[in-house]
Amino acid sequence: MSNSGLPEGWEVRHSNSKNLPYYFNPATKESRWDPPSGTDTEKLKSYMATHHSSGIAPTSSAKAEGKIRAAHLLVKHKDSRRPSSWREEKITRSKGEAIDILKGHEHKIRSGEAKLAELATKESDCSSARKGGDLGYFGRGEMQKEFEEAAFGLQKGEMSGVIETASGVHLIERLE
């Protein structure tokens, strides 16, 4: 196992099209967004926080196209459409437990104890955790309906309460 926590033969690479890291096995040519089976998730969390931080630059036409930029912290549960993540191979928590976890994160953020980007890096079940939860720029029709409505309803710098989608439960912060 490498210092990244990935099983032998796997490495972290960077997608130019999505501007996100992904996992690649050069021997088998397999690539994936979620870590392969056998990953040491604690080592991976630390490695990703150190080596893959946020840094998204706006495209020149992003604002002209009515796009916004947001970050989120996702907590999945066993009834999420895909109950696994880079943090946990099989997510077994209930929706209620996921909401309680997210409310704990919300309290830390609102009290000033932590920032969403800091928590997302280690606690989010989305691959965007690698970038502090930053999803980059997106327009209407590109995200799940509940997520889109909440994100577009926020002012720059504002954070939502708990938002439920088929992916799980989210805290969303409007960045731009």
Side-chain angles (χ1 to χ4, degrees):
M1 189 165 295
S2 69
N3 65 348
S4 66
L6 294 172
E8 195 64 41
W10 285 89
E11 57 190 49
V12 179
R13 291 199 175 173
H14 193 83
S15 165
N16 291 326
S17 62
K18 298 243 182 212
N19 197 23
L20 283 173
Y22 65 96
Y23 308 100
F24 183 72
N25 185 322
T28 64
K29 306 289 188 230
E30 182 182 356
S31 65
R32 53 189 303 156
W33 293 110
D34 293 316
S37 182
T39 297
D40 179 330
T41 55
E42 290 306 311
K43 278 177 98 174
L44 181 61
K45 284 181 201 177
S46 177
Y47 177 84
M48 296 307 282
T50 303
H51 295 90
H52 293 276
S53 60
S54 182
I56 296 180
T59 59
S60 58
S61 61
K63 287 187 178 170
E65 294 173 7
K67 293 187 175 192
I68 64 167
R69 182 173 160 219
H72 76 138
L73 193 162
L74 169 66
V75 178
K76 291 185 175 184
H77 50 80
K78 64 184 179 184
D79 297 318
S80 296
R81 69 177 174 187
R82 203 178 50 73
S84 66
S85 77
W86 70 276
R87 297 179 64 239
E88 296 176 75
E89 198 167 338
K90 182 178 183 189
I91 295 172
T92 58
R93 74 179 69 87
S94 71
K95 183 177 178 180
E97 289 168 324
I99 290 170
D100 288 344
I101 291 167
L102 198 64
K103 284 182 176 179
H105 296 323
E106 180 181 17
H107 174 75
K108 287 179 183 174
I109 296 164
R110 294 200 192 279
S111 71
E113 185 181 334
K115 295 188 180 309
L116 185 136
E118 295 166 356
L119 288 175
T121 300
K122 292 192 174 194
E123 303 297 332
S124 182
D125 286 317
C126 180
S127 60
S128 68
R130 302 167 198 156
K131 296 164 69 171
D134 195 329
L135 296 167
Y137 289 87
F138 57 90
R140 293 197 180 273
E142 294 181 44
M143 299 289 180
Q144 293 175 42
K145 184 177 187 282
E146 303 88 348
F147 189 98
E148 176 185 301
E149 288 175 357
F152 275 88
L154 296 170
Q155 297 299 312
K156 182 178 175 180
E158 189 179 12
M159 185 181 75
S160 72
V162 174
I163 303 297
E164 296 180 28
T165 70
S167 297
V169 293
H170 314 251
L171 291 176
I172 305 167
E173 181 181 2
R174 172 97 176 248
L175 302 175
E176 293 181 33

PDB file of all heavy atoms in Angstrom, residues 120-142:
ATOM      1  N   ALA A 120     -15.527  19.576   4.319  1.00  0.00           N
ATOM      2  CA  ALA A 120     -15.794  18.788   3.108  1.00  0.00           C
ATOM      3  C   ALA A 120     -14.588  17.942   2.724  1.00  0.00           C
ATOM      4  O   ALA A 120     -14.731  16.789   2.302  1.00  0.00           O
ATOM      5  CB  ALA A 120     -16.210  19.692   1.956  1.00  0.00           C
ATOM      6  N   THR A 121     -13.389  18.495   2.879  1.00  0.00           N
ATOM      7  CA  THR A 121     -12.170  17.781   2.493  1.00  0.00           C
ATOM      8  C   THR A 121     -12.056  16.426   3.170  1.00  0.00           C
ATOM      9  O   THR A 121     -11.629  15.463   2.551  1.00  0.00           O
ATOM     10  CB  THR A 121     -10.924  18.641   2.812  1.00  0.00           C
ATOM     11  OG1 THR A 121     -11.024  19.855   2.084  1.00  0.00           O
ATOM     12  CG2 THR A 121      -9.639  17.936   2.427  1.00  0.00           C
ATOM     13  N   LYS A 122     -12.493  16.349   4.416  1.00  0.00           N
ATOM     14  CA  LYS A 122     -12.358  15.087   5.152  1.00  0.00           C
ATOM     15  C   LYS A 122     -13.679  14.366   5.389  1.00  0.00           C
ATOM     16  O   LYS A 122     -13.690  13.162   5.616  1.00  0.00           O
ATOM     17  CB  LYS A 122     -11.673  15.336   6.495  1.00  0.00           C
ATOM     18  CG  LYS A 122     -10.232  15.741   6.333  1.00  0.00           C
ATOM     19  CD  LYS A 122      -9.509  15.703   7.649  1.00  0.00           C
ATOM     20  CE  LYS A 122      -8.029  15.982   7.399  1.00  0.00           C
ATOM     21  NZ  LYS A 122      -7.202  15.671   8.523  1.00  0.00           N
ATOM     22  N   GLU A 123     -14.794  15.079   5.330  1.00  0.00           N
ATOM     23  CA  GLU A 123     -16.068  14.492   5.748  1.00  0.00           C
ATOM     24  C   GLU A 123     -17.086  14.272   4.629  1.00  0.00           C
ATOM     25  O   GLU A 123     -18.062  13.556   4.817  1.00  0.00           O
ATOM     26  CB  GLU A 123     -16.706  15.360   6.835  1.00  0.00           C
ATOM     27  CG  GLU A 123     -15.838  15.572   8.062  1.00  0.00           C
ATOM     28  CD  GLU A 123     -15.518  14.289   8.812  1.00  0.00           C
ATOM     29  OE1 GLU A 123     -16.317  13.332   8.761  1.00  0.00           O
ATOM     30  OE2 GLU A 123     -14.453  14.246   9.452  1.00  0.00           O
ATOM     31  N   SER A 124     -16.900  14.893   3.465  1.00  0.00           N
ATOM     32  CA  SER A 124     -17.897  14.767   2.397  1.00  0.00           C
ATOM     33  C   SER A 124     -17.779  13.426   1.688  1.00  0.00           C
ATOM     34  O   SER A 124     -16.678  12.933   1.436  1.00  0.00           O
ATOM     35  CB  SER A 124     -17.731  15.891   1.373  1.00  0.00           C
ATOM     36  OG  SER A 124     -18.723  15.779   0.368  1.00  0.00           O
ATOM     37  N   ASP A 125     -18.915  12.838   1.336  1.00  0.00           N
ATOM     38  CA  ASP A 125     -18.955  11.583   0.597  1.00  0.00           C
ATOM     39  C   ASP A 125     -18.903  11.798  -0.912  1.00  0.00           C
ATOM     40  O   ASP A 125     -19.050  10.862  -1.684  1.00  0.00           O
ATOM     41  CB  ASP A 125     -20.219  10.781   0.958  1.00  0.00           C
ATOM     42  CG  ASP A 125     -20.121  10.159   2.338  1.00  0.00           C
ATOM     43  OD1 ASP A 125     -19.042   9.625   2.674  1.00  0.00           O
ATOM     44  OD2 ASP A 125     -21.110  10.203   3.083  1.00  0.00           O
ATOM     45  N   CYS A 126     -18.696  13.023  -1.350  1.00  0.00           N
ATOM     46  CA  CYS A 126     -18.598  13.339  -2.781  1.00  0.00           C
ATOM     47  C   CYS A 126     -17.131  13.428  -3.183  1.00  0.00           C
ATOM     48  O   CYS A 126     -16.295  13.861  -2.392  1.00  0.00           O
ATOM     49  CB  CYS A 126     -19.294  14.678  -3.067  1.00  0.00           C
ATOM     50  SG  CYS A 126     -19.247  15.168  -4.806  1.00  0.00           S
ATOM     51  N   SER A 127     -16.834  13.063  -4.413  1.00  0.00           N
ATOM     52  CA  SER A 127     -15.449  13.172  -4.888  1.00  0.00           C
ATOM     53  C   SER A 127     -14.977  14.623  -4.925  1.00  0.00           C
ATOM     54  O   SER A 127     -13.781  14.884  -4.948  1.00  0.00           O
ATOM     55  CB  SER A 127     -15.302  12.523  -6.266  1.00  0.00           C
ATOM     56  OG  SER A 127     -16.147  13.155  -7.206  1.00  0.00           O
ATOM     57  N   SER A 128     -15.896  15.583  -4.874  1.00  0.00           N
ATOM     58  CA  SER A 128     -15.505  16.998  -4.821  1.00  0.00           C
ATOM     59  C   SER A 128     -14.816  17.342  -3.501  1.00  0.00           C
ATOM     60  O   SER A 128     -14.268  18.433  -3.359  1.00  0.00           O
ATOM     61  CB  SER A 128     -16.719  17.910  -5.021  1.00  0.00           C
ATOM     62  OG  SER A 128     -17.598  17.822  -3.915  1.00  0.00           O
ATOM     63  N   ALA A 129     -14.821  16.421  -2.542  1.00  0.00           N
ATOM     64  CA  ALA A 129     -14.114  16.633  -1.273  1.00  0.00           C
ATOM     65  C   ALA A 129     -12.662  16.983  -1.545  1.00  0.00           C
ATOM     66  O   ALA A 129     -12.063  17.770  -0.825  1.00  0.00           O
ATOM     67  CB  ALA A 129     -14.199  15.380  -0.400  1.00  0.00           C
ATOM     68  N   ARG A 130     -12.108  16.436  -2.621  1.00  0.00           N
ATOM     69  CA  ARG A 130     -10.714  16.682  -2.981  1.00  0.00           C
ATOM     70  C   ARG A 130     -10.449  18.157  -3.239  1.00  0.00           C
ATOM     71  O   ARG A 130      -9.315  18.598  -3.218  1.00  0.00           O
ATOM     72  CB  ARG A 130     -10.357  15.900  -4.245  1.00  0.00           C
ATOM     73  CG  ARG A 130     -10.573  14.431  -4.094  1.00  0.00           C
ATOM     74  CD  ARG A 130     -10.515  13.751  -5.440  1.00  0.00           C
ATOM     75  NE  ARG A 130     -11.136  12.446  -5.308  1.00  0.00           N
ATOM     76  CZ  ARG A 130     -11.663  11.780  -6.295  1.00  0.00           C
ATOM     77  NH1 ARG A 130     -11.672  12.267  -7.502  1.00  0.00           N
ATOM     78  NH2 ARG A 130     -12.198  10.608  -6.088  1.00  0.00           N
ATOM     79  N   LYS A 131     -11.522  18.891  -3.514  1.00  0.00           N
ATOM     80  CA  LYS A 131     -11.392  20.319  -3.807  1.00  0.00           C
ATOM     81  C   LYS A 131     -12.177  21.138  -2.794  1.00  0.00           C
ATOM     82  O   LYS A 131     -12.737  22.174  -3.114  1.00  0.00           O
ATOM     83  CB  LYS A 131     -11.876  20.587  -5.224  1.00  0.00           C
ATOM     84  CG  LYS A 131     -10.989  19.884  -6.254  1.00  0.00           C
ATOM     85  CD  LYS A 131     -11.601  19.793  -7.607  1.00  0.00           C
ATOM     86  CE  LYS A 131     -11.703  21.122  -8.247  1.00  0.00           C
ATOM     87  NZ  LYS A 131     -12.089  21.053  -9.645  1.00  0.00           N
ATOM     88  N   GLY A 132     -12.254  20.657  -1.576  1.00  0.00           N
ATOM     89  CA  GLY A 132     -12.969  21.372  -0.531  1.00  0.00           C
ATOM     90  C   GLY A 132     -14.459  21.445  -0.801  1.00  0.00           C
ATOM     91  O   GLY A 132     -15.135  22.356  -0.328  1.00  0.00           O
ATOM     92  N   GLY A 133     -14.991  20.480  -1.557  1.00  0.00           N
ATOM     93  CA  GLY A 133     -16.411  20.456  -1.890  1.00  0.00           C
ATOM     94  C   GLY A 133     -16.778  21.335  -3.070  1.00  0.00           C
ATOM     95  O   GLY A 133     -17.937  21.390  -3.477  1.00  0.00           O
ATOM     96  N   ASP A 134     -15.800  22.026  -3.657  1.00  0.00           N
ATOM     97  CA  ASP A 134     -16.048  22.967  -4.760  1.00  0.00           C
ATOM     98  C   ASP A 134     -16.491  22.210  -6.010  1.00  0.00           C
ATOM     99  O   ASP A 134     -15.777  21.355  -6.514  1.00  0.00           O
ATOM    100  CB  ASP A 134     -14.777  23.769  -5.041  1.00  0.00           C
ATOM    101  CG  ASP A 134     -15.022  25.002  -5.892  1.00  0.00           C
ATOM    102  OD1 ASP A 134     -15.944  24.985  -6.737  1.00  0.00           O
ATOM    103  OD2 ASP A 134     -14.276  25.984  -5.721  1.00  0.00           O
ATOM    104  N   LEU A 135     -17.667  22.546  -6.487  1.00  0.00           N
ATOM    105  CA  LEU A 135     -18.227  21.901  -7.681  1.00  0.00           C
ATOM    106  C   LEU A 135     -17.933  22.691  -8.948  1.00  0.00           C
ATOM    107  O   LEU A 135     -18.320  22.282 -10.034  1.00  0.00           O
ATOM    108  CB  LEU A 135     -19.748  21.744  -7.520  1.00  0.00           C
ATOM    109  CG  LEU A 135     -20.154  20.820  -6.381  1.00  0.00           C
ATOM    110  CD1 LEU A 135     -21.637  20.975  -6.079  1.00  0.00           C
ATOM    111  CD2 LEU A 135     -19.812  19.379  -6.705  1.00  0.00           C
ATOM    112  N   GLY A 136     -17.277  23.829  -8.805  1.00  0.00           N
ATOM    113  CA  GLY A 136     -17.002  24.658  -9.974  1.00  0.00           C
ATOM    114  C   GLY A 136     -18.260  25.386 -10.411  1.00  0.00           C
ATOM    115  O   GLY A 136     -19.217  25.536  -9.649  1.00  0.00           O
ATOM    116  N   TYR A 137     -18.242  25.849 -11.647  1.00  0.00           N
ATOM    117  CA  TYR A 137     -19.371  26.597 -12.201  1.00  0.00           C
ATOM    118  C   TYR A 137     -20.378  25.650 -12.839  1.00  0.00           C
ATOM    119  O   TYR A 137     -19.998  24.681 -13.498  1.00  0.00           O
ATOM    120  CB  TYR A 137     -18.878  27.601 -13.245  1.00  0.00           C
ATOM    121  CG  TYR A 137     -18.133  28.749 -12.626  1.00  0.00           C
ATOM    122  CD1 TYR A 137     -16.771  28.663 -12.378  1.00  0.00           C
ATOM    123  CD2 TYR A 137     -18.797  29.909 -12.262  1.00  0.00           C
ATOM    124  CE1 TYR A 137     -16.088  29.712 -11.791  1.00  0.00           C
ATOM    125  CE2 TYR A 137     -18.127  30.965 -11.667  1.00  0.00           C
ATOM    126  CZ  TYR A 137     -16.771  30.857 -11.441  1.00  0.00           C
ATOM    127  OH  TYR A 137     -16.105  31.891 -10.848  1.00  0.00           O
ATOM    128  N   PHE A 138     -21.657  25.942 -12.632  1.00  0.00           N
ATOM    129  CA  PHE A 138     -22.714  25.154 -13.274  1.00  0.00           C
ATOM    130  C   PHE A 138     -23.925  26.037 -13.503  1.00  0.00           C
ATOM    131  O   PHE A 138     -24.117  27.049 -12.827  1.00  0.00           O
ATOM    132  CB  PHE A 138     -23.085  23.907 -12.452  1.00  0.00           C
ATOM    133  CG  PHE A 138     -23.534  24.196 -11.042  1.00  0.00           C
ATOM    134  CD1 PHE A 138     -24.878  24.430 -10.749  1.00  0.00           C
ATOM    135  CD2 PHE A 138     -22.625  24.227 -10.003  1.00  0.00           C
ATOM    136  CE1 PHE A 138     -25.297  24.689  -9.458  1.00  0.00           C
ATOM    137  CE2 PHE A 138     -23.023  24.485  -8.692  1.00  0.00           C
ATOM    138  CZ  PHE A 138     -24.368  24.722  -8.423  1.00  0.00           C
ATOM    139  N   GLY A 139     -24.720  25.639 -14.471  1.00  0.00           N
ATOM    140  CA  GLY A 139     -25.928  26.380 -14.800  1.00  0.00           C
ATOM    141  C   GLY A 139     -27.165  25.594 -14.442  1.00  0.00           C
ATOM    142  O   GLY A 139     -27.095  24.471 -13.929  1.00  0.00           O
ATOM    143  N   ARG A 140     -28.293  26.177 -14.736  1.00  0.00           N
ATOM    144  CA  ARG A 140     -29.569  25.489 -14.470  1.00  0.00           C
ATOM    145  C   ARG A 140     -29.663  24.241 -15.335  1.00  0.00           C
ATOM    146  O   ARG A 140     -29.214  24.231 -16.468  1.00  0.00           O
ATOM    147  CB  ARG A 140     -30.736  26.430 -14.721  1.00  0.00           C
ATOM    148  CG  ARG A 140     -30.751  27.571 -13.707  1.00  0.00           C
ATOM    149  CD  ARG A 140     -32.109  28.268 -13.677  1.00  0.00           C
ATOM    150  NE  ARG A 140     -32.122  29.348 -12.712  1.00  0.00           N
ATOM    151  CZ  ARG A 140     -32.413  29.207 -11.421  1.00  0.00           C
ATOM    152  NH1 ARG A 140     -32.725  28.033 -10.943  1.00  0.00           N
ATOM    153  NH2 ARG A 140     -32.408  30.252 -10.615  1.00  0.00           N
ATOM    154  N   GLY A 141     -30.238  23.192 -14.749  1.00  0.00           N
ATOM    155  CA  GLY A 141     -30.410  21.937 -15.474  1.00  0.00           C
ATOM    156  C   GLY A 141     -29.215  20.999 -15.390  1.00  0.00           C
ATOM    157  O   GLY A 141     -29.254  19.906 -15.942  1.00  0.00           O
ATOM    158  N   GLU A 142     -28.164  21.391 -14.690  1.00  0.00           N
ATOM    159  CA  GLU A 142     -26.966  20.553 -14.599  1.00  0.00           C
ATOM    160  C   GLU A 142     -26.882  19.759 -13.298  1.00  0.00           C
ATOM    161  O   GLU A 142     -26.070  18.842 -13.198  1.00  0.00           O
ATOM    162  CB  GLU A 142     -25.705  21.405 -14.751  1.00  0.00           C
ATOM    163  CG  GLU A 142     -25.569  22.028 -16.121  1.00  0.00           C
ATOM    164  CD  GLU A 142     -24.296  22.847 -16.259  1.00  0.00           C
ATOM    165  OE1 GLU A 142     -23.231  22.378 -15.811  1.00  0.00           O
ATOM    166  OE2 GLU A 142     -24.382  23.958 -16.808  1.00  0.00           O
TER     167      GLU A 142
END
